[in-house]
Amino acid sequence: MVDRDLWTYSPTVSGGQQTLDVAGYHVEATDGRIGSVDEATYEVGDSYLVVDTGPWIFGKKVLLPASTVTQIDPQERKIFVSRTKQEIKDAPEFDEVGYKEPTYRDKVGDYYGRFPYGPGTI
């Protein structure tokens, strides 16, 4: 079973994510910009970002669990995550049809669960 905390925003994430529409925000990995947010959810225990990596990885989309978010900057329209570009590049590709299915979520959760996550773990 995947740790549900993986799919929950850290209470220390600043920026008031619960009230923001972050679609279109730039996503900053620990080593630079990785893409932009296509979609975000804020469901308790089931929150994530869908990130379009654009030309950096030839248009690949990935699902990032909420726990990877370390900061949201509404003024700069940026979201900072505790993953490197390579870790995001190596993540399972976004499944537009099955992304809400438990088997896909388990696959993504298993991948991200291998890394320490949350603020202060980078």
Side-chain angles (χ1 to χ4, degrees):
M1 180 78 179
V2 174
D3 183 353
R4 297 310 294 170
D5 287 343
L6 190 66
W7 303 99
T8 301
Y9 288 95
S10 167
T12 62
V13 169
S14 61
Q17 75 275 5
Q18 298 293 347
T19 60
L20 293 176
D21 177 6
V22 296
Y25 276 39
H26 298 292
V27 179
E28 296 284 334
T30 58
D31 55 352
R33 186 171 166 192
I34 187 66
S36 61
V37 176
D38 267 4
E39 176 185 341
T41 65
Y42 306 106
E43 299 169 32
V44 175
D46 196 25
S47 299
Y48 58 85
L49 302 174
V50 176
V51 177
D52 184 345
T53 60
W56 191 77
I57 315 175
F58 306 106
K60 178 178 177 180
K61 288 185 182 182
V62 295
L63 191 73
L64 288 176
S67 64
T68 63
V69 176
T70 59
Q71 181 182 359
I72 300 173
D73 183 339
Q75 284 72 37
E76 295 291 323
R77 296 185 46 86
K78 290 183 181 179
I79 293 182
F80 296 86
V81 297
S82 61
R83 294 290 170 268
T84 65
K85 289 180 182 181
Q86 191 64 47
E87 289 167 347
I88 294 169
K89 177 182 177 185
D90 292 343
E93 190 159 356
F94 180 63
D95 180 347
E96 293 200 32
V97 175
Y99 73 100
K100 292 188 178 189
E101 297 299 320
T103 51
Y104 174 73
R105 289 296 186 86
D106 287 347
K107 180 179 175 181
V108 171
D110 287 345
Y111 175 77
Y112 286 107
R114 299 183 311 189
F115 304 102
Y117 57 90
T121 61
I122 52 176

